[in-house]
Amino acid sequence: IGEEVWQDLGEGFVQEYYSRFDNTNRMELGNLYSPEACLTWEGSPYQGREAIASKLSLPFKTIKHIITEQDFQPTIDGCILIMVFGQLKVDDDPPMAFHQVFMLKSQNCAWACTNDVFRLGIHNIPV
Amino acid sequence: IGEEVWQDLGEGFVQEYYSRFDNTNRMELGNLYSPEACLTWEGSPYQGREAIASKLSLPFKTIKHIITEQDFQPTIDGCILIMVFGQLKVDDDPPMAFHQVFMLKSQNCAWACTNDVFRLGIHNIPV
């Protein structure tokens, strides 16, 4: 796949993912994952679309993600690796830095997220 | 590959990578990458073992990486996805947060890094 293609696919996924997260029922996020996808959320593992969608149905009223940086790379297996940095604001809490990695793979003619690693930045502040 | 195996492989790689970075000639880092590996360093792309090793020969006297968190996931193509958070200290500068993602793949019976995305945390501090 050419450079513009994976860049565009990656950017499209990031936009769609956080748009669904912030604006719609978070259960709909599950459709962006492959059936056997892996999520590691703050060090805890979740496997499979249903387990992931359930985990992402987090108990807050409003959330807003702001993307600071996003990097994309193709892999030799035809996947797209995405690294995202940003800040998220939950309800009336102060904003928190977060970091998230996705891997996308084309399966049955559609791109799906097979891997997702999420960490808040609160653990990584130099003192 | 079983869970202990990819976890051990991932941890071994992380230890070896930052040990070489901090303690030896950084040109030796090149041997940890596959010949066609991709590095995205603060948004700039480098492709191939030689270009990467050359980029990593950075102009400072001493560097020390401290790992805060590391997450590992297997991929459906038999790769290992690694997300690292930590702090690095260069010469007499104050410590800086950094974030790095690696993908490892077994090629010719040895594990090599095929993808590397690096970002300093300085761009992602909530205000």
Side-chain angles (χ1 to χ4, degrees):
Chain A
I1 50 177
E3 171 158 4
E4 294 82 21
V5 177
W6 52 258
Q7 185 93 14
D8 286 354
L9 283 163
E11 284 177 6
F13 176 85
V14 168
Q15 193 168 10
E16 179 69 20
Y17 183 89
Y18 295 109
S19 170
R20 288 197 193 189
F21 213 117
D22 293 357
N23 298 321
T24 66
N25 187 331
R26 279 183 286 280
M27 285 302 282
E28 288 181 29
L29 284 168
N31 300 332
L32 298 177
Y33 291 88
S34 69
E36 302 300 319
C38 294
L39 164 66
T40 305
W41 180 276
E42 287 281 283
S44 297
Y46 300 86
Q47 185 160 18
R49 187 186 280 157
E50 315 241 314
I52 293 171
S54 175
K55 170 63 189 170
L56 297 179
S57 300
L58 295 159
F60 37 69
K61 285 198 188 110
T62 63
I63 185 165
K64 184 163 173 51
H65 291 80
I66 296 161
I67 307 305
T68 311
E69 308 273 8
Q70 43 186 324
D71 292 307
F72 307 96
Q73 276 187 0
T75 79
I76 55 178
D77 294 305
C79 299
I80 301 169
L81 182 64
I82 304 174
M83 187 160 90
V84 176
F85 300 87
Q87 290 151 35
L88 57 82
K89 186 159 168 41
V90 172
D91 296 336
D92 294 324
D93 295 345
M96 287 184 288
F98 77 92
H99 317 287
Q100 195 157 12
V101 172
F102 300 103
M103 197 151 73
L104 307 186
K105 190 170 174 74
S106 179
Q107 294 180 318
N108 305 320
C109 305
W111 289 85
C113 176
T114 58
N115 294 80
D116 177 354
V117 184
F118 175 90
R119 284 269 181 189
L120 291 170
I122 50 177
H123 310 296
N124 197 23
I125 297 161
V127 290
Chain B
I1 49 176
E3 173 158 3
E4 293 84 19
V5 177
W6 51 258
Q7 185 92 14
D8 286 354
L9 282 163
E11 285 178 5
F13 176 84
V14 168
Q15 192 169 10
E16 179 69 20
Y17 183 88
Y18 294 109
S19 170
R20 288 196 193 190
F21 213 117
D22 293 357
N23 299 321
T24 67
N25 187 330
R26 279 184 287 279
M27 285 303 281
E28 288 180 29
L29 285 168
N31 301 332
L32 297 176
Y33 290 88
S34 68
E36 302 300 319
C38 294
L39 164 67
T40 305
W41 180 275
E42 287 282 281
S44 298
Y46 300 86
Q47 185 161 18
R49 188 187 279 158
E50 315 240 314
I52 292 171
S54 173
K55 171 61 190 171
L56 298 179
S57 301
L58 295 158
F60 38 68
K61 286 198 188 110
T62 64
I63 185 165
K64 183 161 173 53
H65 291 80
I66 296 161
I67 308 305
T68 310
E69 307 275 8
Q70 43 186 326
D71 292 309
F72 305 97
Q73 276 186 2
T75 79
I76 53 177
D77 294 306
C79 299
I80 301 169
L81 183 63
I82 304 174
M83 188 160 89
V84 176
F85 300 88
Q87 290 152 35
L88 58 82
K89 185 157 169 44
V90 172
D91 296 336
D92 295 324
D93 296 344
M96 286 182 289
F98 77 92
H99 316 287
Q100 195 157 12
V101 171
F102 299 103
M103 197 152 71
L104 308 186
K105 190 171 175 73
S106 181
Q107 294 181 316
N108 306 318
C109 305
W111 289 83
C113 175
T114 58
N115 294 79
D116 177 355
V117 184
F118 175 91
R119 283 271 182 190
L120 291 170
I122 50 177
H123 310 296
N124 196 24
I125 298 162
V127 288

